[in-house]
Amino acid sequence: MILSVLSSFALVSGLMVVRAKNPVHSVLFFILVFCNTSGLLILLGLDFFAMIFLVVYIGAIAVLFLFVVMMFNIQIAEIHEEVLRYLPVSGIIGLIFWWEMFFILDNETIPLLPTHRNTTSLRYMVYAEKVQSWTNLETLGNLLYTHYFVWFLVSSLILLVAMIGAIVLTMHRTTRVKRQDIFRKNALDSRRIIMKEGGRP
Amino acid sequence: MNPYAMLPEGLLFVGALATLATGSFVPRRRQALSRAVALAFLALAGVTAGVGLAGPATSSFDATYAVDTATGVVRLLVVVGTVLVLLLAVPEVRGNPRESEFYALVMLASTGTVVLAGAADLLVLIAAFFLASIPLYALIGMARGPAAAEAAVKTYLLGALFGILLMLGVTLVYGVAGGTGYASLADRLEGAPPTVVAAGGALVVLGLLFKAGAVPAHFWVPDAAEGTWVAAATYATTIPKVGAVVAVYRLVDALPGGTAGPLVAVLAVASMTLGNLAALSQEGPRRLLGWSTVSQVGYLLVPAAAAGRSDLALPALLVYLAAYVVTNTAAFAVVAAVPWRGRLADYRGAGRGRPVLAGSLLVALLGLLGTPPTAVFVAKVAVSAAAWDAGSAWLAVAVLLNTVLSLAYYLRWVAPVFARVQVSTEEDGVANRGPLAVAAVSAAASVAVGLLAGVLWSVLVAP
């Protein structure tokens, strides 16, 4: 039952992301999609990834979307006026995705319709219950920081490159950018700066 | 796990961090120290790579990284190419406030390229793809101006799209295979539905072709070659290609036969043809070189398409990569030596009194074409032989026809250089010495690799 609730909320929120008139509502529905997907991951037994979804997807990525939407004042209402014009191409792409999904669904592992084994609801296997339990986090740490530590370091290099790249491309020391001089700020003396009435320090 | 198996990559990694740290703590006028640090670490990495090439083929990190002949050769080529680019960058980058970041980004991208070539696991492929791509966006965008910004945005958008396609392909292949290591991929994909395997393999190959600059992901190459600093253009069009093409080779070899090979063959012919046709009408030397690199990638992908079906494919690919790196660097270095000549027509008579410049340009352009005794001639013969041996004779014919087609634009550039035209002294500047030296050395190396190709081949075929 929880599966049905979470997945239907996720689907509706996903639809509302593209149909909302206000772009900020759009991003908020986007956040709702991730909340529901996080719940679905917990149902699958992937507790670590569910928490990582909350922290990274909602806490970083969706907040970034929100910053962009609020700073640049994007008007989604204008895009909606041309829906019919884009319908053929978007329809074809949507149909391709549907067709791809039917590769995965409707085989023996994930049946599309209830099979003769159970007629009440879609069943799925929670393999995590059957195994001698290590938490997700232990499993990841056991491999990522020991046998494959070099790939962990390579991934960290990617983040370093992103940081250097962003600074190299955007930091301008000479244009009219507000900045602070920390040394000067620390050298301020409040007794000489704050004036009492009458102009006496 | 042999701790010294990945020593060259580790040295490149540490060298990048050392370059960045040196640049951050050294005063603005002494930034050349960070270049010296970068060159020192590159030399060390080159030496260890040479030593490693002599050792037996092995793999490290549970068979996720292959340390064999291909990886060893790629390490050496990347080190040599990066050293040449760093030396050629001196006139443009010296004095720029972002000088040490340029060197650090070049080192990081080189690390990513080497890891991309050695990756024997789909997940490592993704990590290396991003490590090799993201510095390029910053390198291309570092030059100020609308042309550089346009090139950087184009590269970034295409890179983002093809990175997503790469990851989508890896997801599909992992979904049907149940594992990501190349060694067991063919076995795991035995009973999988062939459409899913084909779709996944095609998407991964498409993602890698962005790094290589091949059709259909070639749109960024001419703009990057023209709009940004010559050093950044040289780096972006030469080095990442080396890692990407070897990665395509390994992937075509690892997937079940006939999955990705035909696609790579078709895209190779498309790249060759489109690159040559587009270069025929170019007026600017840098844009022409950009389109010529698109066609060179077509030739490079031919042995990758023949992977697994011919023993000649891997040595042919490595010889072509060696030839391509030195020859392309020579051509770009000549352009960097005389940057005020912005159009092909400006090169008319440029050879008067400048024997080194004219000689380097001649060797570089005829080298890219594939005239004996330069290295690309040997490489093209080897590549055609590999294609013939693998049963795809039409690929060899395509290589030959496209070589003839490319005669037109290479000769159109280099022939007027030797014309007897009086150039007045005040509009003729002095060539930049650093790039001129790099051009001469690279052109000489191109001829040397061609003459020593027999020795090189025996090294590559032996293990």
Side-chain angles (χ1 to χ4, degrees):
Chain A
M1 216 267 302
I2 301 181
L3 169 68
S4 321
V5 167
L6 286 175
S7 52
S8 53
F9 270 171
L11 282 173
V12 168
S13 307
L15 192 63
M16 286 308 295
V17 169
V18 290
R19 296 297 305 166
K21 287 269 185 327
N22 188 336
V24 179
H25 290 177
S26 209
V27 177
L28 292 176
F29 277 115
F30 192 52
I31 292 179
L32 205 53
V33 170
F34 285 133
C35 287
N36 287 307
T37 314
S38 179
L40 286 172
L41 282 173
I42 294 186
L43 282 178
L44 279 175
L46 296 170
D47 47 314
F48 176 67
F49 287 102
M51 296 302 122
I52 287 294
F53 258 58
L54 289 178
V55 169
V56 173
Y57 269 121
I58 300 179
I61 296 178
V63 167
L64 182 64
F65 270 70
L66 208 50
F67 273 134
V68 169
V69 163
M70 291 200 294
M71 269 202 285
F72 292 118
N73 203 15
I74 300 171
Q75 305 290 340
I76 299 263
E78 294 160 356
I79 303 177
H80 278 173
E81 289 162 9
E82 306 224 348
V83 157
L84 275 183
R85 198 172 138 208
Y86 296 114
L87 199 55
V89 178
S90 61
I92 292 175
I93 296 179
L95 281 176
I96 293 178
F97 270 112
W98 265 77
W99 176 68
E100 274 184 18
M101 275 213 292
F102 281 106
F103 270 129
I104 308 175
L105 295 174
D106 205 20
N107 53 38
E108 289 188 0
T109 318
I110 311 179
L112 191 58
L113 297 172
T115 64
H116 65 276
R117 281 183 295 171
N118 59 82
T119 53
T120 51
S121 61
L122 288 172
R123 301 269 311 270
Y124 52 91
M125 298 285 269
V126 182
Y127 285 101
E129 286 173 8
K130 297 176 186 271
V131 194
Q132 180 89 20
S133 63
W134 264 10
T135 62
N136 270 314
L137 197 52
E138 276 173 353
T139 320
L140 270 180
N142 195 33
L143 283 177
L144 191 60
Y145 292 93
T146 55
H147 292 284
Y148 299 120
F149 70 95
V150 139
W151 310 129
F152 171 69
L153 288 174
V154 165
S155 308
S156 72
L157 271 187
I158 300 175
L159 295 175
L160 179 69
V161 167
M163 188 175 77
I164 300 175
I167 293 176
V168 154
L169 287 176
T170 57
M171 186 161 90
H172 296 280
R173 215 170 271 267
T174 56
T175 55
R176 300 177 299 274
V177 171
K178 287 188 190 162
R179 32 178 90 239
Q180 298 183 5
D181 189 346
I182 300 295
F183 300 112
R184 184 175 295 179
K185 284 246 181 256
N186 279 339
L188 289 178
D189 185 2
S190 68
R191 280 170 292 176
R192 295 178 51 224
I193 300 298
I194 299 178
M195 304 284 206
K196 294 198 188 130
E197 271 193 51
R200 290 176 291 117
Chain B
M1 181 180 69
N2 182 7
Y4 297 113
M6 283 185 74
L7 188 58
E9 287 85 359
L11 281 171
L12 284 175
F13 182 143
V14 172
L17 297 176
T19 310
L20 190 61
T22 317
S24 307
F25 287 105
V26 154
R28 194 57 75 76
R29 62 188 178 284
R30 298 265 210 97
Q31 291 281 312
L33 189 60
S34 63
R35 182 171 65 236
V37 167
L39 289 171
F41 272 95
L42 280 170
L44 271 177
V47 165
T48 44
V51 168
L53 190 55
T58 173
S59 72
S60 90
F61 289 100
D62 272 348
T64 51
Y65 192 76
V67 182
D68 52 10
T69 317
T71 317
V73 172
V74 167
R75 284 170 179 166
L76 282 173
L77 286 179
V78 167
V79 162
V80 166
T82 312
V83 165
L84 289 174
V85 167
L86 285 182
L87 292 175
L88 130 72
V90 173
E92 281 169 321
V93 169
R94 177 174 50 199
N96 192 301
R98 300 273 87 83
E99 180 176 352
S100 64
E101 279 89 357
F102 180 87
Y103 302 139
L105 285 170
V106 162
M107 291 285 284
L108 284 168
S110 300
T111 315
T113 307
V114 175
V115 175
L116 184 63
D121 187 283
L122 288 171
L123 297 175
V124 176
L125 190 72
I126 294 179
F129 176 87
F130 282 114
L131 185 56
S133 312
I134 300 182
L136 293 185
Y137 311 151
L139 283 172
I140 293 175
M142 238 191 230
R144 298 276 166 222
E150 178 185 352
V153 168
K154 266 192 190 170
T155 314
Y156 166 69
L157 286 176
L158 275 175
L161 174 65
F162 283 94
I164 293 175
L165 289 181
L166 176 79
M167 289 195 281
L168 191 55
V170 167
T171 315
L172 281 177
V173 172
Y174 171 63
V176 291
T180 51
Y182 282 3
S184 53
L185 207 56
D187 296 327
R188 289 187 213 257
L189 289 174
E190 284 290 314
T195 25
V196 181
V197 176
L203 285 173
V204 178
V205 165
L206 276 181
L208 286 172
L209 288 183
F210 160 73
K211 294 307 311 296
V215 168
H218 65 286
F219 297 100
W220 60 280
V221 177
D223 291 288
E226 184 180 35
T228 176
W229 291 335
V230 182
T234 316
Y235 189 82
T237 53
T238 318
I239 308 290
K241 205 162 304 234
V242 173
V245 174
V246 174
V248 170
Y249 177 90
R250 284 196 205 273
L251 191 69
V252 173
D253 207 10
L255 288 174
T259 309
L263 174 70
V264 175
V266 167
L267 289 176
V269 174
S271 303
M272 283 182 226
T273 318
L274 180 64
N276 284 330
L277 289 176
L280 285 176
S281 60
Q282 294 302 322
E283 287 301 326
R286 293 170 62 175
R287 212 169 171 89
L288 188 146
L289 278 178
W291 281 112
S292 117
T293 60
V294 173
S295 76
Q296 295 288 332
V297 156
Y299 305 130
L300 276 168
L301 284 175
V302 167
R309 290 181 292 152
S310 161
D311 284 333
L312 295 175
L314 186 61
L317 178 66
L318 296 175
V319 168
Y320 205 127
L321 280 174
Y324 170 73
V325 166
V326 286
T327 318
N328 207 28
T329 310
F332 270 102
V334 168
V335 173
V338 284
W340 60 88
R341 297 186 196 274
R343 300 170 51 82
L344 285 185
D346 296 338
Y347 276 85
R348 188 174 183 79
R352 305 302 298 164
R354 293 179 193 281
V356 176
L357 185 71
S360 310
L361 186 60
L362 184 69
V363 171
L365 291 182
L366 289 184
L368 279 176
L369 177 59
T371 8
T374 58
V376 176
F377 166 70
V378 176
K380 279 195 179 164
V381 167
V383 158
S384 312
W388 193 284
D389 196 32
S392 313
W394 60 281
L395 274 175
V397 172
V399 168
L400 185 61
L401 289 178
N402 277 292
T403 309
V404 172
L405 184 59
S406 62
L407 258 176
Y409 59 89
Y410 286 129
L411 287 184
R412 190 161 66 99
W413 184 355
V414 78
V417 169
F418 296 97
R420 293 173 183 279
V421 169
Q422 283 294 83
V423 181
S424 59
T425 43
E426 62 260 16
E427 57 187 41
D428 200 16
V430 177
N432 291 319
R433 281 180 321 154
L436 192 59
V438 169
V441 166
S442 312
S446 170
V447 174
V449 170
L451 292 174
L452 295 174
V455 174
L456 184 60
W457 188 270
S458 59
V459 167
L460 292 174
V461 173

